[in-house]
Amino acid sequence: MGRRTPKTIDGNRINVRLVKSPIGFNKEQAKVVQGMGLRRIGHSVELPDTDATRGMIHKVRHLVVVE
């Protein structure tokens, strides 16, 4: 069995940009930011529009901006 690609909603992708440092917040939130691939303030990544991605964005919505 190979790797399964996550199902995307209509094949769309989301741009997420880190606008606030996770320092001083819950360590779990810092792990979520790292898991999304965000490294520093101002860094942006393009992620698949899946339920899991939306849940991660919701968890750190005070630290990121969706473009």
Side-chain angles (χ1 to χ4, degrees):
M1 289 189 182
R3 275 189 157 182
R4 290 178 48 186
T5 57
K7 277 190 173 179
T8 60
I9 300 169
D10 297 331
N12 292 335
R13 297 187 65 81
I14 299 176
N15 258 346
V16 182
R17 183 169 42 102
L18 186 64
V19 293
K20 193 169 185 182
S21 173
I23 295 173
F25 291 96
N26 189 340
K27 289 183 181 180
E28 291 295 317
Q29 294 174 359
K31 289 180 182 179
V32 170
V33 168
Q34 184 180 10
M36 291 194 312
L38 296 168
R39 298 174 180 261
R40 60 193 165 277
I41 295 175
H43 187 225
S44 63
V45 293
E46 191 175 277
L47 300 170
D49 188 6
T50 63
D51 291 337
T53 303
R54 286 176 180 251
M56 293 171 82
I57 291 169
H58 183 74
K59 199 168 189 88
V60 293
R61 63 188 177 273
H62 55 288
L63 302 176
V64 300
V65 170
V66 177
E67 301 172 329

